Amino acid sequence: MENKNIITGTNPVMKGDFPDPDVIRVGDTYYMCSTTMYYMPGGAMLRSYDLINWEFCSHIYETLEDTPRENLDGESHAYGNGMWAPCLRYHNGKFYVFFVANDTGKTYCFSADKPEGPWTKSYVEGFYHDCSVLFDDDGRVYIIYGNRKIYLTELKPDLSGPKEGGVNKLIISDPEGPFLGYEGAHLYKINGKYYAFFIHTSPEKWIRIEAAFMADDIRGPWVGKDVISYYLEDTTGVAQGGIVDTPEGKWYGVIFGDRGAVGRIPNVVPMHFDETGFPVFDTPTKEIQTESTRPGYIYDSLFKSDDFNYIPDASGKIKLDEVWEFNHNPKPDYWTAGGGKFTLTTEKIAKNVEFARNTLTQRAKYPETACHVTIDGSKLNDGDFAGMVLLQHRYGTVGIAKENGGFKLVMRARTGEGDRAEEDVEYASIPLSEPTATVRVTGKFSLNSSEAEFYYLDGSEWKKLGVALHPTFDLRHFVGCRVGLFAYSTLVTGGSASFSRFVYE
């Protein structure tokens, strides 16, 4: 008889930049938390009933800290920093997320009674790179962390910091060398044995490798080896992420692979434990099958159009759809959404789109992305520019600029190519008879070759504007490309632009 609970999908399962995933199951529901770095709200929490299809559940915080870098004040920024490599846990009826932020130098613990929140922020004394926490069944709590050298520290029961007189030792190390040493820790206790999983790379070539270690005692000795070293199609290898069991007792790894400029995207890989208890992963494959705990469930999309018909809550606050994240801390007084429009008002001078406040973004989609939006620039000031951006260090923009009292359609970019590779360059402009336009961004993404193009609507025809962009995954941003809506001033603040009918095609 056909099993109607079987779900078939393809790796990568999520098609968007959800790096460093950690995954748990509570009852019939799988939850994932992923790195969001400097984007706000942060700490994307997702849910699934089959590990292949996912939808947003919540974000664990609106903003992380009130600092010049996270606020994008002046030319301060948190690019390449912010919330990094979360550890997601469920213990005694409560959800926990632990992570560090490199720009603040702090270790965070967020907790909630349910994954939808509200979440409460606290701090763990110390800084624990790529940490993973284990609530042991004897009531003790441990955190492992580090790069190349992996340390184990026992925490106080209240999680506020190291336990005085508790375990604090080096447990695992990778040899020194010009390659990525063990990091991205994930720590578990399963059937009485302790397991630690890490990512590292080969000394001979760049390939992401998943390593696993096992111990009978958490203090060691730890014995391990590489368990995945495989170039899944269009990746540099598949590694780093969590493992999770199904209600039927099957095990899977949810681990990411690099996909170039579009980012790092989770894949699902079946696994089991051999007769000694050591974890064994199947060879990663493009097609993947799992079993749904809620057959027929209809998932919300991770990539969505928006008509901006929002209604404020009782306190007057507007809650945007979870697919949207601002680039750095937003300034709520300078954006509004409702009545079919998303409106940005400028309140700082910015030299380019990287420093534009309140840029509203969604993840680009693998392997192809296409989005368009209509812009009303009638309230822009001279020197203002508003439109759509494909954002990474190599970025491209298309939109409306006001200059000497007139309006023009403009394509600007930092292409990373040619004599002015690192500059923001205007590559094309067309005079506008009225301050409105519909613009479009498209992208085709693969590991080694990505291309984006920029368009405007002329009657019923899309026409290209400016140059093609070839974005990369640049560590100066450290996230995949985002499609965003922006407005910024170069001369005087206070101008505004409205966006309507955002379509994720």
Side-chain angles (χ1 to χ4, degrees), residues 2 7 37 425:
E2 180 184 2
I7 303 295
M37 302 200 74
V425 176

Side-chain angles (χ1 to χ4, degrees), residues 147-148 174 177-183 199-202 206 208:
N147 169 239
R148 198 174 300 276
D174 222 0
F179 59 94
L180 179 67
Y182 295 136
E183 65 173 18
I199 185 175
H200 69 157
T201 62
S202 165
W206 181 261
R208 291 190 179 274

Side-chain angles (χ1 to χ4, degrees), residues 187-207:
L187 178 64
Y188 305 92
K189 188 175 186 181
I190 302 168
N191 295 329
K193 292 184 180 292
Y194 296 91
Y195 296 90
F197 297 84
F198 308 98
I199 185 175
H200 69 157
T201 62
S202 165
E204 290 80 30
K205 58 184 178 180
W206 181 261
I207 179 172

